[in-house]
Amino acid sequence: MTRYLLAVCVAAVSLVLTPLPSVRGQPSTESVVVSYPSKSITSFPILETARQRGFFQKEGLNVSAVYMRGGIDIKALLTGDADFGTGATTAVTAFVAGAPLRAVMSLNAHVDQGLYAQSKFKTLAQLKGQSIGSLNPGGLVDTLLRRILVQGGLQPDKDVIVLNMGGTPERYAALRSGTIAASMLSAPHSLRAEKDGFTRIALTRDYVDVPGTALIVHADRIRKRPAMIKRFMRATFRALNYLRENRAETTQMIVREFGMDQEIAGLAYRVLLELISPDGRNRVEGYQFLIDSARIAQKIDKPISAAQFVDESLLEEVLRERTVH
């Protein structure tokens, strides 16, 4: 009898310790880290919606969205400490330098950035000799700012002082405090800046139209963990659809997460709808401009095709699945 009871106890403990099979064929939970270089309207609402609405969990993913300043996010991808990055332009700079990074899915078809200044400044020329808030050198914000300055007849780091000041909230706070004369801003902070009386000096899309944020991975991830990437993409598509179809809930999320009033959040929602990618495909021609700019900055003569940076093989599989279903 003693042996019988011992056998029953061992069997019971084994049942408790043995992982339960996935429910309805869902994959077991897998931890994933995704970084974002700035809490802006372009990517954060997508990631936050996928997390809050349980879309990641439904795909068996335990996702941690971590703020990492530009440059650090790329290092995390290369060391394996992050599975996805969203700083596409910083990734391009690293790719041109030889880093094995790939853009696997577009989150924003276009960039939402503008140059805003203290109310006393009305033109780009009037900013000569002034301090302008930017983000990490070689990143998207910095690249676009320098493009605006050059086309406007000002030499970066000579005619103006370009400051690396962190994310959009930090730059907007510096602008409001009067610490800087102007700054690059994205929605919803750019919308608040206009409401508060700051001058919109330039919109980047009037100077150059480049892709916005994207999912960036280490090339090895595509080969070694394709199933995980596809699950992340599927959850992301659900988030994009939710954003499009649920205006009230998304607006409230913007109010809550960005500390914006209802009016500004409503305007930010409209900007978000204009930005998000319709199908996740990357605009290769836009990346070519960024790659060529990075080549010039790094003094690399050899041509580099943007097609080498973009890998949509897994995206196409997910799109085919969505068409079938």
Side-chain angles (χ1 to χ4, degrees):
M1 178 62 70
T2 301
R3 289 180 179 177
Y4 174 75
L5 291 175
L6 181 60
V8 170
C9 289
V10 170
V13 172
S14 298
L15 286 174
V16 172
L17 295 179
T18 302
L20 292 174
S22 301
V23 179
R24 295 185 181 180
Q26 286 291 324
S28 58
T29 302
E30 187 172 3
S31 295
V32 172
V33 175
V34 55
S35 69
Y36 59 93
S38 177
K39 189 174 180 180
S40 65
I41 201 70
T42 54
S43 60
F44 186 80
I46 301 172
L47 300 174
E48 188 65 8
T49 295
R51 186 189 67 80
Q52 289 186 8
R53 308 307 302 183
F55 299 143
F56 286 133
Q57 292 89 328
K58 289 178 182 178
E59 290 292 337
L61 300 176
N62 179 24
V63 175
S64 299
V66 182
Y67 166 67
M68 299 182 189
R69 289 188 62 174
I72 297 176
D73 56 343
I74 299 304
K75 291 179 181 177
L77 284 176
L78 296 176
T79 59
D81 294 312
D83 300 287
F84 294 92
T86 55
T89 307
T90 310
V92 165
T93 301
F95 169 77
V96 170
L101 300 175
R102 302 290 184 271
V104 295
M105 178 180 178
S106 171
L107 298 181
N108 307 124
H110 305 281
V111 168
D112 168 47
Q113 287 287 341
L115 180 60
Y116 292 79
Q118 303 289 341
S119 58
K120 63 180 180 180
F121 300 108
K122 303 301 181 183
T123 66
L124 195 59
Q126 291 176 351
L127 291 176
K128 187 172 183 178
Q130 303 297 320
S131 298
I132 301 178
S134 182
L135 196 49
N136 57 294
L140 177 62
V141 173
D142 193 64
T143 298
L144 296 176
L145 170 59
R146 291 170 185 274
R147 177 78 169 190
I148 291 172
L149 293 173
V150 170
Q151 289 197 15
L154 296 177
Q155 292 301 313
D157 303 316
K158 181 180 178 181
D159 295 329
V160 298
I161 304 168
V162 178
L163 300 176
N164 177 6
M165 303 192 66
T168 307
E170 292 83 1
R171 281 179 273 123
Y172 180 61
L175 184 66
R176 289 194 68 184
S177 68
T179 305
I180 54 178
S183 177
M184 294 291 284
L185 297 176
S186 61
H189 296 86
S190 57
L191 300 170
R192 176 185 276 181
E194 290 193 46
K195 183 179 180 181
D196 290 345
F198 293 98
T199 304
R200 187 177 73 187
I201 298 293
L203 288 178
T204 56
R205 287 181 67 177
D206 294 335
Y207 291 79
V208 58
D209 189 11
V210 297
T213 55
L215 295 181
I216 308 297
V217 302
H218 193 293
D220 284 349
R221 283 286 196 275
I222 300 173
R223 178 171 53 86
K224 295 179 179 179
R225 298 176 68 186
M228 179 276 290
I229 294 176
K230 289 173 62 177
R231 285 150 61 188
F232 195 98
M233 287 179 178
R234 284 194 287 265
T236 301
F237 272 121
R238 290 192 183 99
L240 292 172
N241 289 337
Y242 184 91
L243 292 173
R244 293 186 185 98
E245 297 169 3
N246 295 272
R247 175 175 181 171
E249 291 85 349
T250 303
T251 301
Q252 287 308 117
M253 186 262 284
I254 294 173
V255 169
R256 183 176 63 254
E257 295 294 339
F258 291 89
M260 299 292 166
D261 61 41
Q262 199 71 32
E263 178 188 359
I264 296 299
L267 294 173
Y269 175 75
R270 281 163 44 186
V271 171
L272 177 61
L273 290 188
E274 294 174 1
L275 292 174
I276 55 179
S277 174
D279 55 12
R281 291 189 173 94
N282 296 279
R283 292 175 49 231
V284 179
E285 70 283 358
Y287 277 124
Q288 192 62 60
F289 165 78
L290 296 176
I291 286 176
D292 291 340
S293 297
R295 282 179 49 240
I296 294 171
Q298 297 178 37
K299 299 179 180 179
I300 296 175
D301 295 328
K302 181 181 178 181
I304 301 175
S305 171
Q308 297 173 269
F309 176 66
V310 174
D311 187 331
E312 295 182 341
S313 56
L314 297 178
L315 174 65
E316 292 301 333
E317 291 181 21
V318 172
L319 291 174
R320 284 196 294 270
E321 293 170 5
R322 289 166 57 83
T323 301
V324 172
H325 293 94

Coordinates of all heavy atoms in Angstrom, one line a residue, residues 10-42:
V10 N 4.1 10.5 -6.8 CA 5.0 10.8 -7.8 C 4.3 11.2 -9.1 O 4.7 12.1 -9.8 CB 6.0 9.6 -8.1 CG1 6.8 9.9 -9.3 CG2 6.9 9.4 -6.8
A11 N 3.3 10.4 -9.4 CA 2.5 10.7 -10.7 C 1.8 12.1 -10.6 O 1.8 12.8 -11.5 CB 1.5 9.6 -10.9
A12 N 1.3 12.4 -9.4 CA 0.6 13.6 -9.2 C 1.6 14.8 -9.3 O 1.3 15.8 -10.0 CB -0.1 13.7 -7.8
V13 N 2.8 14.7 -8.7 CA 3.8 15.7 -8.8 C 4.2 15.9 -10.2 O 4.4 17.0 -10.7 CB 5.0 15.4 -7.9 CG1 6.1 16.4 -8.2 CG2 4.6 15.5 -6.4
S14 N 4.4 14.8 -11.0 CA 4.8 14.9 -12.4 C 3.8 15.7 -13.2 O 4.1 16.4 -14.1 CB 4.9 13.5 -12.9 OG 6.0 12.8 -12.2
L15 N 2.5 15.5 -12.9 CA 1.5 16.2 -13.6 C 1.5 17.7 -13.4 O 1.3 18.5 -14.2 CB 0.1 15.6 -13.3 CG -0.3 14.3 -13.8 CD1 -1.6 13.8 -13.2 CD2 -0.4 14.3 -15.3
V16 N 1.8 18.0 -12.1 CA 1.9 19.4 -11.7 C 3.1 20.1 -12.4 O 3.1 21.2 -12.9 CB 2.0 19.6 -10.2 CG1 2.3 21.0 -9.8 CG2 0.7 19.1 -9.5
L17 N 4.3 19.4 -12.4 CA 5.5 20.0 -13.0 C 5.6 19.9 -14.5 O 6.3 20.7 -15.1 CB 6.7 19.2 -12.4 CG 6.9 19.3 -10.9 CD1 8.1 18.5 -10.4 CD2 7.0 20.8 -10.4
T18 N 4.8 19.0 -15.1 CA 4.9 19.0 -16.6 C 4.1 20.1 -17.2 O 3.0 20.4 -16.8 CB 4.2 17.6 -17.1 OG1 5.0 16.6 -16.5 CG2 4.3 17.6 -18.6
P19 N 4.7 20.9 -18.1 CA 4.0 22.0 -18.7 C 2.8 21.6 -19.5 O 2.8 20.5 -20.1 CB 5.1 22.6 -19.7 CG 6.4 22.1 -19.2 CD 6.1 20.8 -18.6
L20 N 1.7 22.3 -19.3 CA 0.5 22.0 -20.0 C 0.6 22.2 -21.5 O 1.3 23.1 -21.9 CB -0.7 22.9 -19.5 CG -1.1 22.6 -18.0 CD1 -2.1 23.7 -17.6 CD2 -1.6 21.2 -17.8
P21 N 0.0 21.4 -22.3 CA 0.1 21.6 -23.7 C -0.6 22.9 -24.1 O -1.4 23.4 -23.4 CB -0.7 20.4 -24.3 CG -1.6 20.0 -23.2 CD -0.9 20.2 -21.9
S22 N -0.1 23.4 -25.3 CA -0.7 24.7 -25.7 C -2.2 24.6 -26.0 O -2.6 23.5 -26.4 CB 0.0 25.1 -27.0 OG 1.4 25.2 -26.8
V23 N -2.9 25.6 -25.7 CA -4.3 25.6 -25.8 C -4.7 25.8 -27.3 O -4.2 26.7 -28.0 CB -5.0 26.8 -25.0 CG1 -6.5 26.8 -25.2 CG2 -4.6 26.6 -23.5
R24 N -5.5 24.9 -27.8 CA -5.9 25.0 -29.2 C -4.8 25.2 -30.2 O -4.9 25.9 -31.1 CB -7.0 26.1 -29.4 CG -8.2 25.8 -28.6 CD -9.3 26.9 -28.8 NE -10.5 26.7 -28.1 CZ -11.5 27.5 -28.1 NH1 -11.5 28.6 -28.8 NH2 -12.6 27.2 -27.4
G25 N -3.7 24.5 -29.9 CA -2.6 24.5 -30.9 C -1.7 25.8 -30.8 O -0.8 26.0 -31.6
Q26 N -2.0 26.7 -29.8 CA -1.2 27.9 -29.7 C 0.2 27.6 -29.3 O 0.4 26.7 -28.5 CB -1.9 28.9 -28.7 CG -3.1 29.5 -29.2 CD -2.8 30.5 -30.3 OE1 -1.8 31.2 -30.3 NE2 -3.7 30.6 -31.3
P27 N 1.2 28.3 -29.8 CA 2.6 28.0 -29.4 C 2.8 28.3 -27.9 O 2.1 29.1 -27.3 CB 3.4 28.9 -30.3 CG 2.5 30.0 -30.6 CD 1.1 29.4 -30.7
S28 N 3.8 27.7 -27.3 CA 4.1 28.0 -25.9 C 4.6 29.5 -25.8 O 5.1 30.0 -26.8 CB 5.2 27.0 -25.4 OG 6.3 27.1 -26.2
T29 N 4.5 30.1 -24.6 CA 4.9 31.4 -24.5 C 6.4 31.6 -24.7 O 7.2 30.9 -24.1 CB 4.5 31.9 -23.1 OG1 3.1 31.8 -22.9 CG2 4.9 33.4 -22.9
E30 N 6.8 32.6 -25.4 CA 8.1 32.9 -25.7 C 8.4 34.4 -25.4 O 7.7 35.3 -25.8 CB 8.4 32.7 -27.2 CG 9.8 32.8 -27.6 CD 10.1 32.3 -29.1 OE1 9.1 32.0 -29.7 OE2 11.2 32.3 -29.5
S31 N 9.5 34.7 -24.7 CA 9.8 36.0 -24.3 C 10.5 36.8 -25.4 O 11.4 36.2 -26.1 CB 10.7 36.0 -23.1 OG 10.1 35.5 -21.9
V32 N 10.0 38.0 -25.7 CA 10.5 38.8 -26.8 C 10.8 40.2 -26.3 O 9.9 40.8 -25.5 CB 9.6 38.8 -28.0 CG1 10.0 39.8 -29.0 CG2 9.4 37.4 -28.6
V33 N 11.9 40.8 -26.7 CA 12.2 42.2 -26.3 C 12.2 43.0 -27.6 O 12.8 42.7 -28.6 CB 13.5 42.3 -25.6 CG1 13.9 43.8 -25.4 CG2 13.5 41.6 -24.3
V34 N 11.4 44.1 -27.6 CA 11.4 45.1 -28.7 C 11.7 46.5 -28.2 O 11.2 46.9 -27.1 CB 10.0 45.1 -29.4 CG1 8.9 45.4 -28.5 CG2 10.0 46.1 -30.6
S35 N 12.6 47.2 -28.9 CA 13.0 48.5 -28.4 C 12.4 49.6 -29.2 O 12.0 49.4 -30.4 CB 14.6 48.6 -28.5 OG 15.0 48.6 -29.8
Y36 N 12.2 50.8 -28.6 CA 11.8 51.9 -29.3 C 12.7 53.1 -28.9 O 12.9 53.3 -27.7 CB 10.3 52.2 -29.1 CG 9.9 52.5 -27.7 CD1 9.8 53.7 -27.2 CD2 9.5 51.4 -26.9 CE1 9.4 53.9 -25.8 CE2 9.2 51.6 -25.6 CZ 9.1 52.9 -25.1 OH 8.7 53.1 -23.7
P37 N 13.2 53.9 -29.8 CA 14.1 55.0 -29.5 C 13.5 56.3 -28.9 O 14.1 57.1 -28.4 CB 14.9 55.3 -30.8 CG 13.8 54.9 -31.8 CD 13.1 53.8 -31.3
S38 N 12.2 56.4 -29.1 CA 11.5 57.6 -28.7 C 10.0 57.2 -28.5 O 9.4 56.5 -29.4 CB 11.6 58.7 -29.7 OG 10.9 59.9 -29.3
K39 N 9.4 57.8 -27.5 CA 7.9 57.5 -27.3 C 7.1 58.5 -28.1 O 6.8 59.6 -27.7 CB 7.6 57.7 -25.8 CG 6.1 57.3 -25.5 CD 5.9 57.3 -24.0 CE 4.4 56.9 -23.7 NZ 4.2 56.9 -22.2
S40 N 6.9 58.1 -29.4 CA 6.2 59.0 -30.3 C 5.0 58.3 -30.9 O 4.8 57.1 -30.6 CB 7.2 59.3 -31.5 OG 7.5 58.2 -32.2
I41 N 4.2 59.0 -31.6 CA 3.0 58.5 -32.2 C 3.2 57.4 -33.2 O 2.3 56.7 -33.6 CB 2.1 59.7 -32.8 CG1 0.7 59.3 -32.9 CG2 2.7 60.1 -34.1 CD1 0.0 59.2 -31.5
T42 N 4.4 57.4 -33.8 CA 4.7 56.5 -34.9 C 4.7 55.0 -34.6 O 4.3 54.2 -35.4 CB 6.0 56.9 -35.6 OG1 7.1 56.9 -34.6 CG2 5.9 58.3 -36.2

